[in-house]
Amino acid sequence: MGYALKETEFRYRAWTKEGKWQLGELTTDKYVKIHEGSNVFHYGQALFEGLKAYRTKEGNIQLFRPELNFERINAGLDRLVAPRLNRELFFDAITKVVEANIDDIPDYGTGKSLYIRPYVIGHGMNLGVKPSDEYMFSVFCAPVGTYFAGGLQALEFVSTDFDRAATNGTGQVKVAGNYAASLYPRQLAKDQGYAGVIYLDPSTHTKIDEVGAANFFAITNDNVVVTPKSSSILPSITRRSILYIAEHILGMKVEERDCFIEGLDEFKEAGACGTAAIITPIKAITHKGKRHQFGNGDVGPTIKKLYDTLVGIYYGDIEAPEGWMHTVL
Ligand code: PLP
Ligand code: COI
């Protein structure tokens, strides 16, 4: 089951009819029966999202910035030449799945949450390479803990010569093919005992792009929060939120710019961030056999502050900026 702590009972399915989305419904059927000639099996016309529901101290259930997942899934659908989802369908699906699986939402104080996985696939017999005529949108969920390791613990990462996405490819959208391309470099890194992979910019391989399933950020020696600017990385909702927190709550300077893999000395702390990764501190990056450690290798004070603020917002312990939290129940 990988990252999932258990399977939940209810999922939501919606289908297009003559290419137009229809509202869907909840089902307990875990299996999808579609034609063997479907695009999703051969040409990778598939994409997904990831967001979480959190239980607050008062017992409410809230989602973190789901509007941004809605925007991003539609950006991905445009890139895959698939029909956009409307807001009613997206939120109907998420709300119903969260409500139906409410007993599987981890308790406040456990550090766990309910991971929600919306996805769209192109289906129907289609042997030539062209967009599908019909699509399915589904949402399922699972309770989860942390993605990389238990708690706030600094981990070892390694750079790779492989690319997960091309300079003007599909890195900015959450399409399935990006993840297929990442499996081999991930395996090599795991076999060598690393927690994950650092991808470099595909054109020059001199700048950090992102981590396999998370974005990269770092704190300079003079306390600026820096994150790479690149056309081949996913615009992480967590990264955008961290930059906002750093600037508007912690009063720090923030920059989106190049982060050279040979210039890591300018940083005293580094981290990987994402819905699943939350904030995972990076202890060291090994590049071409040379290990660069950030600070003394422990969780740095700025990363700790960013983590506490972000997680406080997730669980409703810290007031969120206007419009961030979406209360389901
Ligand atoms: N980059 C990649 C490749 C990812 O798969 C993810 C996970 O969603 C992220 C970054 C982090 O994005 P977000 O913070 O929106 O979850
Ligand atoms: C996420 O953080 O939502 C991801 O997509 C990462 C991973 C589980 C693929």
Side-chain angles (χ1 to χ4, degrees):
M1 279 201 298
Y3 173 45
L5 296 172
K6 68 169 279 208
E7 289 196 46
T8 55
E9 195 174 356
F10 296 99
R11 53 273 292 132
Y12 182 100
R13 299 249 158 75
W15 303 82
T16 57
K17 207 159 122 196
E18 292 168 11
K20 300 239 174 323
W21 287 112
Q22 312 293 307
L23 272 185
E25 54 186 28
L26 290 172
T27 170
T28 56
D29 188 356
K30 293 174 191 164
Y31 299 94
V32 179
K33 191 168 176 186
I34 54 170
H35 198 286
E36 62 189 352
S38 291
N39 259 1
V40 61
F41 295 136
H42 308 274
Y43 310 131
Q45 203 187 16
L47 88 170
F48 66 94
E49 265 306 326
L51 68 163
K52 284 174 170 172
Y54 303 88
R55 209 183 270 277
T56 66
K57 199 186 271 177
E58 293 74 35
N60 295 328
I61 308 295
Q62 53 180 24
L63 304 170
F64 182 72
R65 309 191 77 181
E67 268 303 314
L68 298 184
N69 299 96
F70 172 65
E71 277 172 22
R72 194 170 61 186
I73 202 167
N74 278 332
L77 290 169
D78 287 348
R79 184 67 174 79
L80 290 186
V81 198
R84 283 181 156 240
L85 298 171
N86 57 62
R87 181 174 270 98
E88 185 192 6
L89 173 56
F90 185 80
F91 282 95
D92 186 55
I94 292 188
T95 310
K96 286 199 170 123
V97 166
V98 170
E99 284 173 358
N101 295 294
I102 187 142
D103 292 343
D104 283 325
I105 305 180
D107 287 341
Y108 171 84
T110 58
K112 297 178 180 147
S113 56
L114 188 77
Y115 185 86
I116 304 163
R117 170 55 59 84
Y119 67 99
V120 175
I121 55 167
H123 73 95
M125 171 59 177
N126 186 22
L127 204 50
V129 178
K130 71 169 192 57
S132 302
D133 291 328
E134 298 300 340
Y135 295 85
M136 184 194 81
F137 165 56
S138 182
V139 178
F140 70 97
C141 66
V144 295
T146 44
Y147 189 67
F148 282 105
L152 192 62
Q153 195 186 317
L155 301 175
E156 299 275 340
F157 286 74
V158 64
S159 69
T160 176
D161 285 337
F162 289 100
D163 301 320
R164 66 185 290 282
T167 306
N168 296 317
T170 52
Q172 287 186 20
V173 287
K174 223 164 152 47
V175 302
N178 295 342
Y179 297 84
S182 76
L183 295 177
Y184 185 64
R186 175 190 178 277
Q187 192 58 47
L188 293 178
K190 289 271 167 196
D191 289 348
Q192 294 171 60
Y194 294 102
V197 176
I198 301 281
Y199 288 94
L200 303 176
D201 72 294
S203 304
T204 69
H205 279 195
T206 59
K207 298 174 264 185
I208 293 185
D209 239 1
E210 65 176 321
V211 181
N215 273 181
F216 174 84
F217 71 102
I219 321 299
T220 65
N221 294 323
D222 49 3
N223 284 322
V224 181
V225 181
V226 178
T227 177
K229 194 172 176 61
S230 163
S231 64
S232 44
I233 66 177
L234 193 77
S236 157
I237 294 164
T238 317
R239 185 243 301 163
R240 286 180 264 167
S241 306
I242 288 171
L243 291 187
Y244 184 94
I245 290 169
E247 190 172 2
H248 299 282
I249 301 184
L250 304 183
M252 299 178 71
K253 211 170 149 224
V254 302
E255 280 174 7
E256 271 185 77
R257 58 144 163 101
D258 293 340
C259 298
F260 289 94
I261 188 72
E262 298 283 4
L264 295 177
D265 282 346
E266 67 165 320
F267 302 123
K268 57 182 176 182
E269 300 178 45
C273 64
T275 301
I278 312 178
I279 290 178
T280 299
I282 298 179
K283 187 187 192 99
I285 296 177
T286 298
H287 174 64
K288 296 199 184 303
K290 210 173 121 219
R291 181 175 177 276
H292 177 94
Q293 182 171 298
F294 296 96
N296 64 7
D298 292 337
V299 180
T302 302
I303 295 244
K304 172 91 176 74
K305 245 188 274 170
L306 288 168
Y307 178 90
D308 288 343
T309 311
L310 181 67
V311 172
I313 290 173
Y314 286 163
Y315 290 99
D317 296 329
I318 293 177
E319 195 183 339
E322 179 77 26
W324 277 21
M325 302 315 292
H326 177 105
T327 303
V328 179
L329 285 169

